[in-house]
Amino acid sequence: MSHAQSRTGNISRMESRPEPARPPGWLPKAEFDSIFSRVPRLCVEVVIMAPERGVLLTRRDIPPNVGAWHIPGGTVLFGEPLVETVKRVARDELGLEVVVGELLGYIEYPSHYDNGLDSPVGLAFATEVVPRLPEAKELPDGCEWFSSLPEGLYEEQRDFLIGRLGFEPFGTEPADQ
């Protein structure tokens, strides 16, 4: 997968499966980079929360910002409905099937633009995992539940989770679940 279209791409604890066929609207990396160096990039954020576990975050294993915690998300492909994008990103990045709930808000990323990257805008959707929430040991490598937010989380996402969803900042331990 192009790093620009999948943030983690890491499902190593899951059964290995053949790479899915590219959906319509998928761009070769050079074309993607050329286009999104000049225009805003629409993304979705897959927000998975549980009262007893917190929020599910993933650690980036591809540039930019390798090692940063983030809300799983990805680029909306040309002609792709938003709900389908959320489902695709949850499947591709987390190996999970989700039901898409309400739009929680949007996240702008001035840090990307200020650092010469691109200009993404993420629409954050509440989601519910079906048939059930995975236990910590069932998550892909680099995914953890957090009841308070870890250091190293994207600043814009931290501000969103604190301001919009009431999370506590900068806990250093993942939730026990």
Side-chain angles (χ1 to χ4, degrees):
M1 278 184 194
S2 164
H3 80 275
Q5 293 174 332
S6 173
R7 292 190 195 166
T8 61
N10 188 352
I11 58 172
S12 61
R13 284 190 202 168
M14 309 294 293
E15 286 184 26
S16 78
R17 46 190 161 165
E19 184 155 334
R22 301 285 188 223
W26 194 268
L27 297 173
K29 183 170 177 355
E31 187 177 357
F32 182 93
D33 290 344
S34 174
I35 291 168
F36 289 112
S37 69
R38 294 175 181 87
V39 298
R41 178 168 56 100
L42 182 61
C43 300
V44 297
E45 314 293 353
V46 181
V47 180
I48 301 173
M49 297 183 301
E52 68 282 1
R53 298 181 191 183
V55 64
L56 185 63
L57 300 175
T58 61
R59 216 184 255 282
R60 283 187 66 91
D61 63 359
I62 56 174
N65 305 315
V66 172
W69 287 105
H70 69 98
I71 299 168
T75 301
V76 178
L77 301 177
F78 184 77
E80 185 177 36
L82 293 173
V83 168
E84 293 307 311
T85 304
V86 174
K87 290 178 180 181
R88 173 180 55 80
V89 169
R91 253 189 331 269
D92 291 353
E93 291 203 12
L94 304 169
L96 299 174
E97 296 297 323
V98 297
V99 173
V100 181
E102 72 174 301
L103 174 64
L104 299 171
Y106 65 92
I107 305 171
E108 294 180 288
Y109 293 88
S111 65
H112 278 234
Y113 182 77
D114 292 344
N115 288 304
L117 299 170
D118 55 1
S119 182
V121 175
L123 301 177
F125 286 89
T127 61
E128 181 180 330
V129 178
V130 290
R132 63 175 181 75
L133 284 173
E135 298 296 327
K137 66 182 183 252
E138 299 172 307
L139 292 172
D141 287 341
C143 295
E144 293 183 28
W145 292 103
F146 288 90
S147 54
S148 62
L149 303 178
E151 292 190 46
L153 178 63
Y154 274 38
E155 179 181 356
E156 295 91 347
Q157 292 182 356
R158 182 198 68 222
D159 293 347
F160 176 81
L161 291 169
I162 292 169
R164 178 70 171 88
L165 301 178
F167 278 86
E168 296 294 322
F170 301 120
T172 58
E173 296 297 319
D176 291 330
Q177 301 291 326

